[in-house]
Amino acid sequence: MYMPSEHVEVKLTDNVGTLILNRPDHGNALSRRMVRQLIEAIEDLYREKRVRAIILIGAGDTFCAGNDLEEISDACSLQPDWDSSQERWGEDAADFRELIARMLETPKPIIAAVNGAALSHGAGLVLACDIVVGCAESTFGLPDPRRGIVAGVVAPLLCHRLSAGHAARLLLTSSIIDAIEAARLGIFHELVDGDKVWARAVELGRECAEGAPEAVQLTKRILNETVGEQLDTQLTAGAILQATSFTTEAAQEGIAAFLEERKPEWK
C-alpha cells in the first residue's frame, strides 16, 4: 500500500479509499511534491483490489486553493536564465497534466468531496473526478488570468465537462462561483450539509461498489475513451501554454501581487 506522506493522507473505509490533501495551513495548495505524491497514491489505490472507489477531499475547510504560488515565486527568483525557467515550468505542467490524465484513466470511480474552495488546479481536480459532492461552503473558479497565468491543463477539461460557452465565461472572467451556481452548471452533482460531504461521498463509493468491478471499470473506460484521444491532445497542448505563461512578466507581477495582497499592475 501507499507509504504515507506529510501532505497526502490515505485512509481506507471498507472498500472505499480516501485521499486527503493535507496542507490546511496553505489552503491545500498543490506543491510539486504533492502532485507527484497524488499520482503515486492514485496508482496504489488502483492496484489495491479491495478498494472499489476513491474519494478526494481537503483537510480543514478548503478543498484545494490551487497550485502553490509561494513555491512558484521562490522558484522564479532562482531561475538563472530563460532556458532554465522553461524547463522548470514545463516539468510542472507535465506533472499536473499527468495527474489529471491518471485520474481520468484510472478505471475506479473517483469522487470529489468538495468541502470548501476549489480554485485553479483545485478546480481541475474536481473536474477530473467522476462524481462531485459539494456543500454551501464550496466555491469553484479559475482565477488564473488575474494572476497573469493560464489554466492550460484545466481549460480543455472544463470545456469537456461543460458547454464551450459556460467554460469561456468562467475562464475569461476569472469568476469564482458558489455551490448553487456550480450545481446549476453541472460541476457539482449533489449538495449536502458541510459536515456530511465526506460521508455522502463514502455512500456513493459504496453504491459504485455494488456493481461488478469489471462492469464499473469498463463503464468508466467508455465514458472517458469516447473522447479520450481528443482530450488527451488538448491536455498536452494546454500544458505547453500553461508552462509558457509562467515565464512571462505578467506571471511574475500577478503572482507577486497575489502574495502581497494587492492589485496587479499590468503593462
Side-chain angles (χ1 to χ4, degrees):
M1 276 299 294
Y2 178 73
M3 295 298 293
S5 71
E6 70 274 30
H7 296 322
V8 178
E9 186 177 350
V10 181
K11 290 186 176 181
L12 298 183
T13 307
D14 298 328
N15 49 10
V16 177
T18 299
L19 298 179
I20 304 171
L21 307 177
N22 195 23
R23 296 185 72 204
D25 293 342
H26 294 81
N28 299 318
L30 297 179
S31 64
R32 301 183 84 189
R33 186 174 181 183
M34 198 171 174
V35 168
R36 291 167 182 165
Q37 289 172 349
L38 276 170
I39 293 172
E40 293 172 4
I42 289 169
E43 181 66 21
D44 285 340
L45 290 181
Y46 161 64
R47 295 179 183 278
E48 178 60 51
K49 290 185 177 179
R50 59 179 164 157
V51 171
R52 303 281 298 280
I54 300 169
I55 295 170
L56 187 61
I57 192 170
D61 57 4
T62 302
F63 179 76
C64 176
N67 41 357
D68 189 338
L69 295 184
E70 289 186 12
E71 181 183 66
I72 290 170
S73 180
D74 291 342
C76 283
S77 64
L78 295 175
Q79 300 306 315
D81 52 44
W82 173 264
D83 290 338
S84 297
S85 296
Q86 285 284 77
E87 182 178 356
R88 159 81 190 208
W89 307 130
E91 290 175 355
D92 285 356
D95 283 348
F96 185 62
R97 182 216 171 281
E98 181 182 354
L99 171 58
I100 294 299
R102 192 67 60 90
M103 292 175 69
L104 294 170
E105 294 167 0
T106 296
K108 296 180 180 181
I110 302 181
I111 304 165
V114 187
N115 56 314
L119 307 176
S120 188
H121 279 26
L125 294 180
V126 170
L127 294 168
C129 291
D130 304 294
I131 304 171
V132 181
V133 180
C135 61
E137 295 77 18
S138 305
T139 58
F140 178 95
L142 293 156
D144 303 62
R146 297 187 185 184
R147 298 168 187 173
I149 51 182
V150 174
V153 175
V154 183
L157 188 54
L158 185 64
C159 291
H160 170 58
R161 297 298 191 194
L162 304 181
S163 69
H166 285 311
R169 176 174 69 87
L170 292 175
L171 288 163
L172 296 176
T173 65
S174 304
S175 299
I176 297 176
I177 60 176
D178 62 21
I180 293 175
E181 176 70 0
R184 186 185 72 81
L185 293 176
I187 298 169
F188 295 171
H189 305 130
E190 292 188 19
L191 296 180
V192 298
D193 293 338
D195 60 351
K196 297 179 181 177
V197 172
W198 179 77
R200 178 54 183 155
V202 171
E203 289 180 355
L204 288 167
R206 288 171 174 160
E207 288 180 23
C208 292
E210 291 294 320
E214 296 84 355
V216 172
Q217 292 178 22
L218 286 173
T219 298
K220 180 165 177 179
R221 180 175 173 182
I222 291 169
L223 290 171
N224 289 306
E225 287 192 1
T226 50
V227 292
E229 184 175 349
Q230 180 181 3
L231 182 58
D232 187 68
T233 300
Q234 293 170 345
L235 291 174
T236 299
I240 294 171
L241 291 173
Q242 177 176 305
T244 301
S245 74
F246 275 105
T247 66
T248 65
E249 291 184 4
Q252 293 182 34
E253 168 60 15
I255 293 170
F258 174 79
L259 295 176
E260 295 167 9
E261 299 182 353
R262 61 175 175 82
K263 289 186 177 181
E265 297 179 3
W266 306 122
K267 293 183 179 179

